Amino acid sequence: AWSPFAVVQACRFFRTETDDDLSQLRLFKVADFHHGVSCLFAVSSSNKEEALRQRAKWVAATACAIRLLTLSIFPAFKIVTRPTVNAPDWTSTRLLAGHLLLFDKKGVTPCFAELHAPLAEKTVLQCYEDESCKALLMRLRIDAVTTVTERMGVDCSCFTLNDHHFAARSVAEKVLWLRAISNVKVKLRHAMMPTSELELRYYRIAVDEQISKLPQTKLPLVLLKGMPFLKRRAQSFWPVSDPALPLSPDSGAPSTGHGEVDADVAIPTAEISKRNVFV
């Protein structure tokens, strides 16, 4: 089955000699790290130029199918930098927030992700069930040495943060998230802490400027008629009164010896949400 966490790439034979000898045979690969499967495909034609054209068509069609699947899971939303009027107090240091897809072994989890401005020697990316920010799915710690990688592929909107895989709605939005996280890491490495109210205001203005340059996402008619394209399952979350504060060791959440939530571990199940996850 297709997954938003699949990457399509044109590729070639391992040896240059083989690539030259079989010039009428062109390869491409679909790597689905959701299911741990990579498939190689070959396009054959009478000559090299035609084989290249046919491969390009297959790669484009495959990438388009993955993009349609990804778009079908996202709700309609706008990326924001400021909390809403009735938002919980712990969203006050929000720097960037919007919907992402989170990959885990059970399936694809839609989440509302919120990147916070640095307040000490680290900050967090918090993933909630929805825009209300009252049901915490996961909290990821970000510091100066956090690993952030971009998945390379044709029209690929996936990226990895500390071994956790995310998919944005588009490549442009992926670049925005990566740039924001990278800038936060630079501040953590070189700037004075904590972030002042004035700094936060200017940071948000800079991010808003980049958001205004994002291309508008237009949904194809097939998505407007029926979505999503994946089966559903129940979603688990951890209801919190203030996810910005450390949870006590007896709260049932995974913790370190200091009583703080381990930011690189998913929050365990507390109850079942009526919102769905996809498999």
Side-chain angles (χ1 to χ4, degrees):
W2 287 113
S3 165
F5 295 93
V7 179
V8 58
Q9 295 173 306
C11 54
R12 57 190 303 171
F13 290 102
F14 182 73
R15 297 178 58 210
T16 305
E17 295 81 1
T18 306
D19 206 53
D20 293 335
D21 293 340
L22 300 176
S23 60
Q24 77 283 3
L25 199 64
R26 298 291 90 180
L27 306 177
F28 69 94
K29 179 178 71 173
V30 180
D32 185 354
F33 53 98
H34 181 167
H35 299 100
V37 176
S38 292
C39 299
L40 279 172
F41 299 90
V43 178
S44 179
S45 187
S46 57
N47 57 73
K48 179 180 179 180
E49 288 72 20
E50 181 60 25
L52 287 171
R53 282 193 292 268
Q54 291 299 321
R55 181 180 66 177
K57 290 181 180 180
W58 276 103
V59 169
T62 304
C64 181
I66 296 172
R67 176 59 48 216
L68 289 176
L69 172 63
T70 302
L71 288 174
S72 74
I73 302 176
F74 278 94
F77 74 97
K78 291 183 179 180
I79 296 180
V80 295
T81 59
R82 295 167 176 80
T84 57
V85 176
N86 298 320
D89 293 339
W90 55 81
T91 64
S92 61
T93 56
R94 173 185 294 177
L95 188 59
L96 177 66
H99 286 271
L100 294 172
L101 302 181
L102 170 64
F103 163 78
D104 59 37
K105 294 180 180 179
K106 295 181 180 179
V108 178
T109 302
C111 66
F112 185 76
E114 181 181 58
L115 177 65
H116 286 258
L119 295 179
E121 294 181 354
K122 61 185 178 182
T123 187
V124 292
L125 176 73
Q126 300 198 143
C127 300
Y128 305 97
E129 186 194 26
D130 53 34
E131 295 90 338
S132 67
C133 301
K134 295 180 180 180
L136 182 64
L137 298 175
M138 183 168 61
R139 180 186 303 162
L140 297 180
R141 181 189 301 112
I142 298 176
D143 55 31
V145 296
T146 293
T147 302
V148 186
T149 56
E150 179 181 5
R151 289 279 179 168
M152 303 306 296
V154 177
D155 195 30
C156 177
S157 60
C158 302
F159 64 95
T160 302
L161 177 62
N162 271 1
D163 298 325
H164 292 274
H165 303 299
F166 294 91
R169 182 171 51 177
S170 65
V171 176
E173 291 185 8
K174 175 189 71 172
V175 172
L176 176 66
W177 280 99
L178 290 174
R179 183 172 180 178
I181 295 172
S182 297
N183 287 343
V184 165
K185 289 180 59 182
V186 171
K187 178 172 174 58
L188 287 168
R189 188 178 296 114
H190 301 291
M192 297 293 292
M193 297 295 166
T195 303
S196 67
E197 288 292 334
L198 181 61
E199 286 179 311
L200 181 58
R201 185 188 312 164
Y202 283 116
Y203 289 158
R204 285 171 171 167
I205 291 174
V207 176
D208 281 333
E209 182 179 353
Q210 296 302 314
I211 293 175
S212 66
K213 298 178 182 179
L214 291 175
Q216 185 178 1
T217 302
K218 296 182 180 180
L219 295 179
L221 183 61
V222 64
L223 295 185
L224 297 176
K225 288 184 176 180
M227 54 192 307
F229 290 165
L230 289 180
K231 295 181 180 179
R232 298 175 180 268
R233 67 173 173 84
Q235 173 172 331
S236 304
F237 66 86
W238 185 266
V240 288
S241 58
D242 188 346
L245 297 177
L247 298 184
S248 61
D250 59 356
S251 65
S255 64
T256 66
H258 303 288
E260 294 183 353
V261 172
D262 187 340
D264 293 327
V265 178
I267 303 301
T269 303
E271 59 182 271
I272 300 299
S273 167
K274 294 183 179 179
R275 184 168 174 172
N276 294 317
V277 180
F278 304 90
V279 295

